[in-house]
Amino acid sequence: MSAAPETAGGVIHDEAAYKRGLRLRTWRGTAWQNFFLLAIVAGIAALIALGFTVVNDAFGYVIATYETPAAELAPNGDLNGLSNAELAQILTEHTPSRLAVYIRDYLYSGDPAEFAKLPMSQALPGATLLPGAENRTVRELNDEQQAAILGDNLSQPVLVTIVEDNVVGESIYQTFSLTESLVNRAGIEAELASAPEGATLSFRSWVSLDFLLSPPSANPATTGARVALLGSLWVTALTILIAFPIGVGAAIYLEEYAAPTRFNRFIEINIRNLAGVPSIVYGILGLAVFVRALATFTGGRSILSAALTMSLLILPVVIINAQEAIRAVPLSLREASYGVGATKWQTIWRVVLRSATPGILTGVILAISRAIGETAPLLLVGASTFIVSDPSGLLSKFTVLPIQIYNYTARPQQPWRDAAAAAILVLLLVLLLFNATAIIMRQRARRRLSA
Amino acid sequence: MSITREAGPAWAIELNKLTVYYNDKLAVRDVDLKIERQKITAFIGPSGCGKSTVLRSINRMNDLIPGARVTGRVMYSGKNLYDTDIDAVEVRRHIGMVFQKPNPFPKSIFDNVAYGPRLLGIRDGKTLKQIVEQSLRASFLWDEVKDDLKKSGLALSGGQQQRLCIARAIAVQPDVILMDEPCSALDPIATQAIEELMLELVRQYTIIIVTHNMQQAQRVADYTAFFNIRKEQETAGNERRWGLLAEHGATEQIFNAPKLEETERYISGEFG
């Protein structure tokens, strides 16, 4: 007899040894359980820290100074309530010498050096011009004519931004974080006393309707996320529209039609590998293919190029999840369908895809989260870092929220960091909205499938 | 070429030297069997004897299994179902199937039964309603579910689910119904309901049932086919096994006066 069975028999027959072993086994289980709990606690703590940092910057007291307080320009200081003509009038009164500059910066898209030499009809093709202004250069127009060009051709929010930036001239003198605002009111009052004449102290939520609706500006007090927000919505929605049908189609082909040949397995493995390729590589691909080679169709550095690049980036995630979901549909359901005389396509469409919908949507949710936060590939395919006009179509220039945030944080002054925190909150909100939509759709699909 | 049902021959289905391989492995060999019209034929035999394989070959369900290969002939209405110009989809519309585990779709009761007719292109709501009611009545389920046809098929009990699957199968008006151990996942009361249903359905349909339960075969089947396993020592320690049809006849004869000794040993419970 060897020793092993005797030792084993020892534990089985020796009550004391058994009790010792049992204590040890129980202790081990408890230790692991505590470790798992710790992991959760660490995760929650990290999440709270993240939320705190962002919220801490996004709200708090600011000391602001003004060149002309808004209250002097509009009733209750509400510039948004003014018409285009009224806003143009304000610009004429307060900054007559800069009207030509506004036209150049906000309406003209050619070479700045040429602007002053061109007649208006050439400088601003398609713009609404007063009769008689067409053949004159900007210098030959009087203030009223210049103001009319601004009032007739710029949208009201852009005019408001121009007024805020150049007439109101709110500048943030100092900002305080939320924690400072709550615990150090006396210190803030002291700072206000040492601020220049006319400075005001107010509690500012950097995320506000104004922030959402304003285009970016050179002044942190009036900057907004509107253009970047619209850009993110355009790019993400278009990305999903492109990647969803292609991804699900590829998954159906691979799972249902492709024979398990070596070549097809090679393709599958490579799709899995593509999911791990760094996003910047997709950016380079997008730059070479969509921005350069296919520029005729995509318009170069456009929303379409960006969405196509992002689609490539998230396709592997969509395909892999759809494949898993399709594979998980039980054979018994397929057999039931074939058993009553269904064709292959009828079985796929009516049974397999219906049952796989929740799993496929899980992939879409993951893909959205990835697409909405991507920055690097979009920088490469030409998202603008500073752009004031809204995206107007598939071929227009654009920027997205992560790039806007990066742009804000790259500037040294504290107010920009607060604006960045606000933009981060907006980004998280958009992410939440997209995901919530997909999750609700998934819940519905699940409910339809259960008893 | 399409299948046209013939009322003529007494045989609903004729198996001719039917042999099935899974990849290179022989599963069942040289089955010659005639299935009589509007009768219940039971396939019995020990596990691994190929009775389910033969059943699934009859409506080409084995086509779905990668590597399955069939030789020999399955004659139905004068056609060999394995001829290259026969579409398996058409075969399954004439020869329906009920599976071991009830497998209703995750859809409403109505949609489950209407699934087959809809596949064929029937869209008219009134016609569908009529077909659903007929099928559910024929499967003795109508009285239990007529008030909540919108309820999910998965919400029914196991026995009801299996009757729903039978309703789904007969909704496309097949000629032959194959049942692969339809009661093995059910309790005795549900089993009894299915057996009564089979005895009713056989007035219209030809039924073939695979069963492990010999009392069930005796209770419902007109004919019984006993499948058994053959073994052959290929090399030392390497045994080759395949199934074949050992004996076939009227159920009474098989159970009371089997011709083969192996049949007698199987039905008396000596192996299996």
Side-chain angles (χ1 to χ4, degrees):
Chain A
M1 277 297 244
S2 70
E6 273 167 30
T7 343
V11 178
I12 287 169
H13 297 299
D14 177 355
E15 193 66 14
Y18 170 77
K19 285 257 165 63
R20 270 198 309 279
L22 181 62
R23 262 203 304 280
L24 184 66
R25 284 188 282 153
T26 317
W27 181 85
R28 265 191 210 133
T30 319
W32 276 111
Q33 189 186 347
N34 288 334
F35 171 74
F36 300 143
L37 180 67
L38 205 70
I40 284 290
V41 170
I44 291 174
L47 209 63
I48 290 174
L50 176 82
F52 174 77
T53 322
V54 176
V55 170
N56 198 32
D57 276 347
F59 302 92
Y61 278 108
V62 295
I63 297 175
T65 59
Y66 304 93
E67 284 166 25
T68 319
E72 292 176 16
L73 301 171
N76 298 325
D78 178 21
L79 293 172
N80 290 319
L82 298 180
S83 70
N84 281 19
E86 286 168 320
L87 290 162
Q89 178 64 30
I90 291 172
L91 290 174
T92 322
E93 278 169 23
H94 289 82
T95 57
S97 60
R98 291 183 58 80
L99 295 174
V101 177
Y102 303 149
I103 296 176
R104 188 194 67 194
D105 287 355
Y106 288 91
L107 289 168
Y108 175 67
S109 54
D111 178 5
E114 296 291 311
F115 176 64
K117 297 173 200 158
L118 292 173
M120 286 289 95
S121 58
Q122 277 182 42
L124 313 173
T128 315
L129 299 170
L130 288 183
E134 293 98 333
N135 298 319
R136 300 190 186 168
T137 66
V138 72
R139 291 213 180 115
E140 290 161 357
L141 300 174
N142 62 28
D143 289 355
E144 277 68 37
Q145 287 170 316
Q146 291 181 347
I149 292 177
L150 289 171
D152 291 344
N153 295 296
L154 283 172
S155 66
Q156 200 256 5
V158 173
L159 283 167
V160 169
T161 312
I162 298 175
V163 171
E164 281 174 343
D165 286 353
N166 297 281
V167 183
V168 178
E170 178 186 14
S171 63
I172 306 275
Y173 178 74
Q174 198 169 2
T175 76
F176 303 93
S177 69
L178 184 60
T179 31
E180 273 180 295
S181 304
L182 292 177
V183 301
N184 191 16
R185 183 66 203 243
I188 294 174
E189 299 282 359
E191 292 282 350
L192 178 65
S194 65
E197 193 75 16
T200 59
L201 178 71
S202 61
F203 189 85
R204 182 179 177 116
S205 158
W206 287 85
V207 213
S208 61
L209 204 59
D210 261 352
F211 183 77
L212 281 181
L213 297 182
S214 308
S217 90
N219 180 351
T222 55
T223 192
R226 172 202 177 96
V227 176
L229 176 62
L230 287 173
S232 273
L233 293 177
W234 269 94
V235 172
T236 309
L238 194 59
T239 301
I240 293 164
L241 280 182
I242 297 170
F244 183 75
I246 298 179
V248 175
I252 293 174
Y253 182 80
L254 286 172
E255 282 304 310
E256 300 286 333
Y257 292 99
T261 57
R262 207 170 277 228
F263 176 72
N264 285 330
R265 226 174 310 145
F266 178 76
I267 288 182
E268 273 197 60
I269 290 169
N270 276 294
I271 289 173
R272 266 145 221 276
N273 288 338
L274 282 177
V277 168
S279 56
I280 193 87
V281 177
Y282 286 97
I284 293 170
L285 178 77
L287 180 64
V289 177
F290 300 126
V291 177
R292 294 271 160 76
L294 298 176
T296 346
F297 307 104
T298 60
R301 300 165 176 271
S302 64
I303 287 185
L304 184 59
S305 296
L308 286 167
T309 309
M310 292 295 244
S311 304
L312 287 189
L313 179 80
I314 64 166
L315 259 178
V317 181
V318 176
I319 295 177
I320 291 169
N321 278 281
Q323 268 186 292
E324 303 282 344
I326 289 171
R327 206 174 305 156
V329 176
L331 179 67
S332 66
L333 284 188
R334 294 163 199 262
E335 284 188 336
S337 173
Y338 286 121
V340 287
T343 62
K344 183 161 193 165
W345 170 241
Q346 285 177 319
T347 302
I348 292 171
W349 181 246
R350 293 168 191 236
V351 175
V352 176
L353 282 185
R354 267 183 68 113
S355 297
T357 306
I360 292 173
L361 287 176
T362 300
V364 173
I365 291 167
L366 291 172
I368 292 172
S369 311
R370 182 148 187 214
I372 234 169
E374 274 302 345
T375 323
L378 291 184
L379 279 173
L380 274 185
V381 298
S384 319
T385 43
F386 189 86
I387 180 171
V388 290
S389 52
D390 292 345
S392 57
L394 295 184
L395 303 185
S396 73
K397 290 177 157 192
F398 69 102
T399 190
V400 290
L401 282 165
I403 289 173
Q404 183 80 70
I405 293 165
Y406 171 72
N407 182 256
Y408 285 156
T409 53
R411 303 179 194 192
Q413 297 87 351
Q414 177 62 34
W416 290 112
R417 242 167 287 157
D418 297 343
I424 288 170
L425 286 179
V426 173
L427 177 63
L428 292 179
L429 203 76
V430 173
L431 178 64
L432 220 64
L433 271 177
F434 267 102
N435 273 358
T437 316
I439 288 171
I440 289 169
M441 282 168 67
R442 182 173 67 178
Q443 282 311 109
R444 281 201 177 169
R446 277 208 185 126
R447 215 174 313 130
R448 236 185 303 136
L449 292 176
S450 63
Chain B
M1 201 178 354
S2 71
I3 301 167
T4 320
R5 277 184 205 174
E6 290 173 6
W11 309 119
I13 291 192
E14 273 187 71
L15 306 182
N16 243 324
K17 298 252 172 235
L18 184 78
T19 302
V20 185
Y21 297 86
Y22 292 123
N23 297 314
D24 291 333
K25 198 179 166 299
L26 178 63
V28 59
R29 184 156 136 187
D30 289 341
V31 176
D32 284 302
L33 182 61
K34 289 175 176 165
I35 308 284
E36 199 179 322
R37 200 169 278 283
Q38 284 169 27
K39 294 279 189 243
I40 299 179
T41 303
F43 288 3
I44 61 169
S47 300
C49 67
K51 53 193 188 302
S52 281
T53 300
V54 171
L55 188 81
R56 295 168 57 94
S57 302
I58 295 174
N59 69 343
R60 293 188 53 180
M61 219 56 179
N62 277 338
D63 289 17
L64 303 179
I65 298 172
R69 190 158 56 84
V70 177
T71 64
R73 296 197 298 178
V74 176
M75 299 301 294
Y76 170 79
S77 285
K79 300 265 162 53
N80 176 12
L81 299 183
Y82 281 88
D83 272 352
T84 43
D85 55 359
I86 298 284
D87 186 351
V89 169
E90 200 185 351
V91 171
R92 298 185 196 121
R93 179 246 179 284
H94 293 288
I95 306 178
M97 188 147 193
V98 176
F99 299 84
Q100 184 169 1
K101 210 175 137 251
N103 55 356
F105 296 121
K107 300 170 187 268
S108 71
I109 293 170
F110 186 94
D111 288 343
N112 260 286
V113 183
Y115 184 82
R118 279 185 178 141
L119 293 177
L120 305 180
I122 298 173
R123 296 228 172 356
D124 174 50
K126 228 170 114 191
T127 318
L128 284 175
K129 242 182 231 167
Q130 211 177 339
I131 295 175
V132 169
E133 180 174 345
Q134 271 174 5
S135 309
L136 286 172
R137 276 187 196 284
S139 58
F140 298 165
L141 195 57
W142 177 251
D143 291 330
E144 290 158 61
V145 302
K146 65 181 172 203
D147 295 322
D148 33 26
L149 293 176
K150 283 192 179 145
K151 212 165 74 171
S152 170
L154 296 171
L156 300 174
S157 74
Q160 287 175 320
Q161 286 188 12
Q162 196 61 296
R163 276 181 282 153
L164 177 64
C165 293
I166 292 174
R168 182 176 64 193
I170 59 183
V172 290
Q173 283 299 315
D175 194 14
V176 181
I177 303 175
L178 310 177
M179 298 188 173
D180 191 355
E181 299 189 45
C183 303
S184 64
L186 304 182
D187 61 62
I189 293 170
T191 300
Q192 197 190 351
I194 301 279
E195 285 179 9
E196 282 166 11
L197 174 56
M198 286 196 291
L199 292 172
E200 189 63 35
L201 290 175
V202 76
R203 295 154 176 258
Q204 253 193 78
Y205 306 96
T206 307
I207 296 178
I208 308 175
I209 173 176
V210 165
T211 179
H212 260 119
N213 181 333
M214 273 171 283
Q215 285 75 39
Q216 184 170 58
Q218 275 178 291
R219 284 192 298 263
V220 299
D222 302 293
Y223 296 97
T224 297
F226 169 61
F227 289 77
N228 206 350
I229 301 170
R230 289 288 178 276
K231 301 169 192 174
E232 191 176 75
Q233 207 72 25
E234 259 188 342
T235 53
N238 191 2
E239 202 182 53
R240 212 159 73 103
R241 307 163 130 244
W242 69 92
L244 51 65
L245 175 64
E247 189 174 353
H248 170 233
T251 302
E252 259 174 54
Q253 176 252 309
I254 293 284
F255 282 90
N256 297 329
K259 293 194 184 105
L260 299 179
E261 194 218 334
E262 55 184 319
T263 315
E264 186 167 2
R265 282 180 52 223
Y266 179 75
I267 59 177
S268 60
E270 276 182 46
F271 67 102

